[in-house]
Amino acid sequence: MTPIDRILFGDNQFFGVNHMSEEKARSQQMRFRDTESIIKVLDNAYDRGIRSFMCTTHDEIGKIADHVAANPDRYEGFKFLPGMPYAHKYNNMVGELGVIDTIKAVAPGGVMEAMVRGAKSAVGRDVGQLMRMLVDAEMARFANVDTPVVFLQNVVADLLLGLGNYQIFADFVQYVNEKYEAEAGFFSMNMPAMVDALESVDITNPIIACNYNKIGFRMSGGIEAYDRKLEEKPVRCVAMSVLASGAIPPAEALEWVCERPLIESIVFGASSDANISSTVSLITEFDSTRASAA
Amino acid sequence: MHRIGLVGVGKMGLSHLALVRAHPELDCVAVCDSQAFMLAGVRSQVGVDTYKSFDTMIEEANLDAVIISTPTSSHFNLAKTALENDLSVFVEKPLTLTTAQSRELAELAERKGLANQVGYHNRFIGTFRETARLVEAGAIGRVHHIDGRAFGQVVTKADGGGRTWRAKKTEGGGCLHDYACHVIDLMNFVAGPPDEVVSGRLGQVHSTDVEDSVYALFGYSDGAVGTLETNWSDESYRKMSTSVTIYGTHGKIFADRQECRLYLKPGHSFEKFEDGWNIRYITELQEPVDFYIRGEEYSSQIDAFAAAIGGNPSPQAGTFTTAAQADHIVEEIARLHETGPIVADPTTQAEPAGTKASKGIFRKLKDRV
């Protein structure tokens, strides 16, 4: 079991994702239109002691991975924790091509035909094969960097969770373990339900990245249900959206999360060295207060 | 537990299927689709009974309600059959392709006392709900202008979208039925439906069989004016972006998916809102849901449908009646695009047709003479 770093650096801010303001998202997108400007911020994060980059499989990230691979001395110990698939790419394809033609487009030769022909068992087998091919396609750009954890992105994970097909989760874990010698993780907006679903297919102590914030933003079932689940079952929980896209002041938000010892890691995004530095110091400070109190 | 049959396993259908499966009061017991591949996938991966025939599903599955997420051209027949069989009905938007059909369904559902709802999910977004509440409460005084917009990147290439039903007019494709109807229903939701559609224009950017943009002007009974602008070929948007601005005598409100900005003129503070700009974010305005896939609004609208089946309809959810109002406006925009302006500026008419656009108008006028 690879320990996950206490502090992880996220990438939403680089790709025009902001849950609270389109204007802010747009100005961030302008600022990070070239790879170099992203690398500069990553360098800041690295220099502040951050070693884990939790990222999407956006095309731009491939260039970052190349840069890190090309400068091993500069980025000693630097790790990528990719989440896949990159949802918008497929969402736009499904809108344009439809579900079936999207599968045809992303799945090379024969798989689709086999699925259409498919008897019940064949479809089941081929869905597994499709999953493995998609993972391979998304992982190709990380071939030369360290990827200790590979995440299944939340729209897909939560869709499967809702559909009730938990076997794919088990297949994903197994494939990522065997092929990439990595641990599998799951993004989810429904952490308590996800923990139970994973347990039902014998995945215990799962790595789950979920929203965890003082106002309960996008925590399905509410804060209490989340706290209770962590007390009930072992989960390696990565807290995200800790600031709820800026709705909670940083110190207040981070103190609240740091008071929860069952949260293993915190992922945050920032665009400036000042924000990276203050976030890291705040987490470190709250952690040491808790440690000395304990 | 209400027994649900789902028709059409495309992008929206899959999402509905997952939300229904996760819902404590709903049980998806049957799925119907015309594509054998999708049915095989649902049967083997989800473990739900599947049907190629809608009629057989209704006959055999002992349903309480159906969710219809098929191409729009098929909505009328499916919804009518379901209602005639005493089933509650949720239909993806728009309800049908004609006002007459939508009204017929609305009357049938009303007469039978069955739950009926259309997938206008903007009604479940906290920022838009707050906007509707503020307008209703009179926070900005008398409303004199309602502006609705939506932009996104659905069709970005010449043959883009050519393969799905969304690119075919006969099946209900096009920016008017797919994008603009959302904005129209949202404008109706926050400010009530207009009295008349004054003008409507459809534009093409890449598509050939359908329109990529929609522009319209509305008139309201109290003299207020509505403007509509939608374009699904705008690559500068990462995903569909919908917004509404309401101008009143005491201030104005701008709302999109993320925020609700309220401006109040001096001396017109309202509730806890002060003069000048006030901003409320989705993070504080959105009601939490029990299960989330890709937006609270998709979960909330299924919650509302479950409540409606159980006899507790939410007044804000919208019905076939409100959807028929949106369909009427859609139909009027299309009609006005075809017929063009009634009276043209005589100076324009006299000029030799220079640009392509003016040539089009000129020809139309000539045809009518």
Side-chain angles (χ1 to χ4, degrees):
Chain A
M1 202 170 83
T2 334
I4 303 176
D5 289 349
R6 174 65 172 165
I7 305 175
L8 315 173
F9 199 60
D11 74 347
N12 267 352
Q13 70 280 12
F14 298 139
F15 302 117
V17 181
N18 187 288
H19 301 299
M20 226 158 81
S21 161
E22 296 238 338
E23 198 58 48
K24 202 169 169 197
R26 194 153 40 234
S27 68
Q28 284 172 338
Q29 207 178 17
M30 280 162 66
R31 197 182 140 195
F32 295 112
R33 74 173 83 216
D34 56 69
T35 316
E36 256 170 56
S37 55
I38 298 177
I39 288 171
K40 213 175 140 204
V41 176
L42 274 183
D43 285 351
N44 289 334
Y46 186 94
D47 295 337
R48 299 288 173 188
I50 293 170
R51 293 293 176 270
S52 290
F53 182 37
M54 200 170 188
C55 57
T56 54
T57 51
H58 192 286
D59 288 338
E60 201 65 28
I61 296 293
K63 296 180 201 162
I64 310 277
D66 292 342
H67 173 78
V68 169
N71 299 279
D73 296 339
R74 174 71 177 91
Y75 299 103
E76 204 195 326
F78 196 76
K79 302 177 280 287
F80 288 77
L81 286 72
M84 60 192 56
Y86 183 61
H88 286 293
K89 186 170 69 186
Y90 293 107
N91 190 40
N92 290 342
M93 272 176 95
V94 170
E96 208 162 277
L97 303 175
V99 174
I100 293 181
D101 280 332
T102 298
I103 297 175
K104 276 183 185 164
V106 297
V111 172
M112 183 64 201
E113 284 67 24
M115 288 170 100
V116 174
R117 264 202 324 272
K120 219 168 154 176
S121 60
V123 173
R125 195 179 60 229
D126 292 333
V127 165
Q129 194 183 339
L130 181 66
M131 180 273 293
R132 292 190 287 276
M133 271 184 323
L134 287 175
V135 171
D136 288 346
E138 302 271 346
M139 284 302 285
R141 63 201 84 186
F142 299 102
N144 301 315
V145 294
D146 189 15
T147 52
V149 186
V150 175
F151 282 89
L152 189 63
Q153 182 267 352
N154 58 285
V155 175
V156 174
D158 287 331
L159 186 72
L160 293 169
L161 178 65
L163 291 174
N165 187 343
Y166 308 151
Q167 189 51 45
I168 295 186
F169 296 148
D171 294 348
F172 177 71
V173 170
Q174 191 188 355
Y175 190 61
V176 165
N177 288 168
E178 287 171 4
K179 175 89 189 262
Y180 295 97
E181 295 174 358
E183 290 199 69
F186 299 86
F187 280 96
S188 178
M189 297 294 171
N190 308 284
M191 185 270 274
M194 182 59 90
V195 172
D196 293 342
L198 291 171
E199 191 181 44
S200 77
V201 287
D202 299 323
I203 301 165
T204 50
N205 199 13
I207 300 173
I208 299 184
C210 57
N211 277 22
Y212 228 125
N213 55 64
K214 197 178 176 177
I215 60 171
F217 181 60
R218 298 229 162 115
M219 297 173 65
S220 306
I223 295 169
E224 272 180 36
Y226 272 53
D227 286 346
R228 213 163 39 236
K229 190 55 73 180
L230 291 191
E231 277 159 26
E232 212 176 275
K233 289 173 185 170
V235 178
R236 301 170 66 193
C237 179
V238 179
M240 55 183 198
S241 244
V242 168
L243 308 187
S245 281
I248 317 164
E252 186 185 332
L254 293 167
E255 184 174 18
W256 185 87
V257 169
C258 290
E259 276 167 4
R260 287 169 160 67
L262 295 172
I263 293 175
E264 185 166 331
S265 306
I266 298 167
V267 59
F268 79 99
S271 309
S272 72
D273 188 36
N275 282 343
I276 294 169
S277 153
S278 71
T279 306
V280 171
S281 331
L282 282 169
I283 296 172
T284 313
E285 184 192 318
F286 292 132
D287 280 351
S288 64
T289 312
R290 199 192 70 214
S292 57
Chain B
M1 242 2 193
H2 307 299
R3 294 169 63 85
I4 306 289
L6 184 130
V7 199
V9 200
K11 188 173 148 186
M12 288 312 297
L14 266 179
S15 160
H16 289 318
L17 179 58
L19 288 170
V20 169
R21 296 265 300 167
H23 202 284
E25 291 157 30
L26 303 177
D27 187 11
C28 186
V29 295
V31 167
C32 176
D33 198 286
S34 58
Q35 310 243 30
F37 161 70
M38 291 311 285
L39 289 186
V42 168
R43 213 165 39 239
S44 69
Q45 300 299 303
V46 186
V48 173
D49 288 345
T50 59
Y51 296 84
K52 278 210 93 165
S53 153
F54 182 66
D55 292 332
T56 312
M57 177 177 84
I58 287 187
E59 235 168 76
E60 294 179 0
N62 189 26
L63 303 173
D64 296 311
V66 291
I67 292 178
I68 299 168
S69 45
T70 53
T72 312
S73 58
S74 63
H75 288 180
F76 177 70
N77 286 334
L78 294 170
K80 194 175 174 200
T81 305
L83 291 170
E84 282 168 346
N85 283 277
D86 297 311
L87 303 182
S88 291
V89 181
F90 177 101
V91 189
E92 256 316 315
K93 54 86 223 176
L95 179 50
T96 73
L97 292 175
T98 71
T99 314
Q101 289 187 337
S102 292
R103 284 182 183 154
E104 187 182 332
L105 292 178
E107 279 159 23
L108 183 58
E110 186 71 24
R111 196 166 64 238
K112 292 243 180 190
L114 295 162
N116 56 102
Q117 195 177 320
V118 177
Y120 285 116
H121 52 74
N122 285 318
R123 289 171 175 263
F124 297 90
I125 292 176
T127 48
F128 295 138
R129 287 203 155 198
E130 176 69 353
T131 304
R133 186 188 74 80
L134 289 168
V135 169
E136 172 73 25
I140 55 169
R142 179 179 62 79
V143 171
H144 58 82
H145 178 198
I146 302 109
D147 177 75
R149 296 164 187 229
F151 304 96
Q153 46 168 310
V154 176
V155 177
T156 55
K157 301 188 280 292
D159 67 338
R163 281 185 266 178
T164 74
W165 65 270
R166 283 170 214 277
K168 297 185 186 82
K169 197 79 236 174
T170 51
E171 292 193 45
C175 183
L176 179 59
H177 286 101
D178 206 44
Y179 249 48
C181 70
H182 264 305
V183 188
I184 292 164
D185 182 72
L186 174 62
M187 292 168 78
N188 291 353
F189 174 56
V190 297
D195 252 32
E196 62 167 337
V197 180
V198 180
S199 63
R201 270 298 152 100
L202 309 178
Q204 290 184 324
V205 183
H206 301 294
S207 298
T208 48
D209 192 38
V210 298
E211 68 288 342
D212 297 315
S213 57
V214 179
Y215 311 93
L217 189 69
F218 307 141
Y220 295 78
S221 55
D222 58 358
V225 172
T227 47
L228 168 76
E229 181 184 352
T230 63
N231 174 353
W232 75 2
S233 296
D234 186 341
E235 285 186 60
S236 69
Y237 289 84
R238 196 173 65 101
K239 53 183 181 179
M240 185 178 184
S241 167
T242 306
S243 67
V244 64
T245 309
I246 322 287
Y247 299 80
T249 48
H250 298 173
K252 72 173 190 178
I253 308 173
F254 166 88
D256 63 12
R257 178 79 184 68
Q258 287 86 6
E259 54 190 31
C260 176
R261 292 199 292 251
L262 170 66
Y263 174 83
L264 293 171
K265 291 182 184 175
H268 290 288
S269 58
F270 184 83
E271 294 174 353
K272 60 182 174 182
F273 303 103
E274 294 169 8
D275 293 4
W277 281 108
N278 300 265
I279 302 187
R280 295 195 71 192
Y281 294 103
I282 189 68
T283 38
E284 55 171 318
L285 291 172
Q286 191 67 48
E287 292 280 326
V289 295
D290 290 330
F291 191 80
Y292 178 105
I293 294 181
R294 61 195 185 103
E296 286 86 358
E297 63 272 29
Y298 300 102
S299 308
S300 297
Q301 70 175 359
I302 296 297
D303 288 344
F305 185 53
I309 300 171
N312 297 302
S314 145
Q316 289 165 307
T319 58
F320 284 3
T321 303
T322 60
Q325 289 167 346
D327 286 344
H328 171 63
I329 294 166
V330 163
E331 197 173 72
E332 281 293 283
I333 292 172
R335 186 183 65 80
L336 287 163
H337 170 76
E338 284 305 317
T339 56
I342 306 294
V343 182
D345 182 344
T347 54
T348 319
Q349 234 177 343
E351 271 174 25
T355 66
K356 209 179 159 189
S358 66
K359 212 190 250 169
I361 293 165
F362 185 69
R363 199 185 311 122
K364 264 184 197 156
L365 289 165
K366 221 173 99 191
D367 289 348
R368 220 175 306 159
V369 171

